[in-house]
Amino acid sequence: MSLKPKVAISADFFSAFSRLPNTQQGKVSRFISKFQQNPIASGINYESINDSKDANMRSVRIDQAYRGIVLKPESGDVYMLLWVDHHDEAYDWARRHRCKIN
């Protein structure tokens, strides 16, 4: 029997979310719902981040300009939304941070 993946959302993610324009917040909210239903769905395109501090961090597309940063486990079943921002700022954030799930 396969366990359903778990989704966690970091406090930093909510902080970043609160600074987004309202139109972006709506798009991010729709992404969160989709992500929570199934973080391994084929429609969620995980992209590697060059030079990230954590090899398990991935970028996910919110829209043409905004990206979410997700911790995609190498093993295990916990996926964590870490950050959301404009494309370049999101990638910069991922290059400066590291994450572990205890």
Side-chain angles (χ1 to χ4, degrees), residues 5-6 8 19-20 24 37-39 42 51 56 64 66 69 77 79 81-82 90 95 102:
K6 297 174 188 76
R19 291 190 296 268
L20 296 176
Q24 293 309 123
Q37 288 175 10
N38 185 4
S42 61
D51 303 327
N56 293 323
Q64 289 294 98
Y66 282 78
I69 303 299
D77 62 352
Y79 290 72
L81 283 168
L82 299 171
R95 288 181 183 109
N102 298 323

Side-chain angles (χ1 to χ4, degrees), residues 9-55:
I9 302 175
S10 75
D12 285 346
F13 181 88
F14 288 115
S15 174
F17 176 84
S18 71
R19 291 190 296 268
L20 296 176
N22 288 341
T23 56
Q24 293 309 123
Q25 286 183 356
K27 291 177 183 181
V28 172
S29 293
R30 287 188 291 280
F31 172 80
I32 291 171
S33 293
K34 178 180 170 181
F35 188 71
Q36 287 176 317
Q37 288 175 10
N38 185 4
I40 57 174
S42 61
I44 299 174
N45 297 317
Y46 292 98
E47 297 179 17
S48 295
I49 302 168
N50 293 335
D51 303 327
S52 68
K53 289 267 188 188
D54 190 320

Side-chain angles (χ1 to χ4, degrees), residues 76-94:
D77 62 352
V78 178
Y79 290 72
M80 181 177 280
L81 283 168
L82 299 171
W83 192 255
V84 63
D85 212 331
H86 194 271
H87 181 282
D88 293 346
E89 287 78 4
Y91 275 74
D92 287 344
W93 185 93

